């Protein structure tokens, strides 16, 4: 599919619909993470900017699509979809893990959501769980927006540098994901160490 898109892009200059298309890709990828939306966004961002779309608008369209989809996920989990989400999660994930995730969000919700776009595989799921945990939207909106802004600025920079080179974009996303996991692992180790040191101080 991506190869066909590249062929189309090579033969067609971007039009006024390039920006809204970026927003749609970000929207759909947030609702349905299996879609290779990040790679598509980077490729189409490079194509759109080569046709005159500004870097700021490129990132903003991505942020808008992602934030709108995140709001839908949050409210679906927060209201009528809570029972469905809880039931679906219980079939996919051990209930104790879901409860741990809800407890984590209740304690550190804004921090978790601010980094949610950078956690591969569960970023959209975290927004759903935030809704089911009873977190207020007023507390969730800003960190979700911050996460989306940071993520789509990075993807837009990648599009500006790499353009529609599929191999380069795929290589960048793989390396970027590896670095994300390394950073997350370091953060976990630091937090565990700090907690251990704090317990040692309390015991002394």
């Amino acid at each position: 599919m991506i190869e066909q898109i590249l062929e189309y892009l090579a033969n067609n200059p971007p039009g006024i619909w390039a920006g809204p298309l970026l927003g749609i890709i970000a929207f759909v990828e947030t609702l349905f993470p299996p879609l290779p939306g990040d790679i598509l966004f980077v490729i189409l961002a490079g194509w759109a900017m080569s046709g005159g779309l500004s870097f700021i608008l490129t990132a903003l369209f991505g942020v808008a699509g992602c934030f709108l989809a995140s709001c839908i996920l949050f409210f679906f989990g927060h209201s009528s979809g809570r029972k469905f989400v809880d039931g679906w999660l219980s079939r996919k994930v051990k209930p104790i893990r879901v409860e741990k995730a809800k407890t984590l969000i209740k304690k550190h919700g804004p921090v978790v959501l601010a980094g949610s776009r950078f956690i591969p595989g569960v970023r959209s799921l975290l927004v759903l769980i935030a809704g089911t945990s009873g977190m207020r939207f007023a507390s969730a909106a800003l960190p979700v927006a911050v996460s989306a802004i940071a993520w789509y600025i990075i993807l837009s920079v990648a599009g500006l540098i790499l353009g529609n080179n599929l191999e380069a974009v795929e290589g960048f996303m793989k390396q970027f994901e590896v670095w994300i996991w390394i950073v997350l692992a370091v953060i976990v180790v630091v937090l565990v160490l700090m907690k251990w040191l704090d317990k040692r101080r309390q015991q002394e």
Side-chain angles (χ1 to χ4, degrees):
M1 181 184 72
I2 295 181
E3 287 78 7
Q4 294 174 333
I5 292 174
L6 286 174
E7 183 178 352
Y8 174 84
L9 298 182
N11 298 308
N12 294 274
I16 58 173
W17 47 270
L21 178 60
L22 290 170
I24 291 171
I25 290 172
F27 177 86
V28 174
E29 192 275 335
T30 303
L31 287 181
F32 306 102
L35 177 79
D38 293 334
I39 292 175
L40 281 175
F41 186 92
V42 172
I43 290 172
L44 289 173
W47 171 71
M49 284 185 279
S50 70
L53 187 67
S54 71
F55 173 84
I56 293 176
L57 282 178
T58 299
L60 282 178
F61 275 113
V63 171
C66 176
F67 184 75
L68 178 59
S70 296
C71 290
I72 292 173
L73 287 172
F74 182 87
F75 283 113
F76 182 74
H78 193 269
S79 55
S80 59
R82 179 176 295 183
K83 290 184 178 179
F84 170 80
V85 173
D86 284 340
W88 179 80
L89 286 174
S90 67
R91 293 192 298 272
K92 300 292 183 180
V93 185
K94 291 182 179 179
I96 189 171
R97 291 185 177 180
V98 175
E99 290 305 316
K100 285 183 177 180
K102 288 184 178 182
T103 301
L104 179 65
I105 288 177
K106 285 179 180 178
K107 291 182 178 179
H108 311 287
V111 175
V112 172
L113 292 179
S116 59
R117 296 305 302 172
F118 294 85
I119 305 177
V122 296
R123 51 196 185 187
S124 295
L125 187 60
L126 288 173
V127 179
L128 260 179
I129 293 177
T132 61
S133 71
M135 186 177 183
R136 295 176 58 213
F137 179 70
S139 300
L142 180 58
V144 166
V146 168
S147 187
I149 290 169
W151 183 250
Y152 282 97
I153 284 177
I154 291 172
L155 294 191
S156 298
V157 169
L160 185 63
I161 296 172
L162 302 175
N164 60 359
N165 186 325
L166 178 59
E167 291 184 3
V169 172
E170 288 179 335
F172 165 78
M173 293 306 300
K174 287 179 181 178
Q175 291 181 359
F176 188 50
E177 185 171 326
V178 169
W179 280 106
I180 288 174
W181 281 118
I182 291 173
V183 171
L184 288 174
V186 171
I187 291 173
V188 170
V189 170
V190 170
L191 290 175
V192 170
L193 182 60
M194 289 175 62
K195 189 174 182 179
W196 179 75
L197 290 172
D198 187 53
K199 286 184 177 180
R200 284 286 302 271
R201 293 193 194 98
Q202 291 177 0
Q203 291 173 355
E204 293 176 354

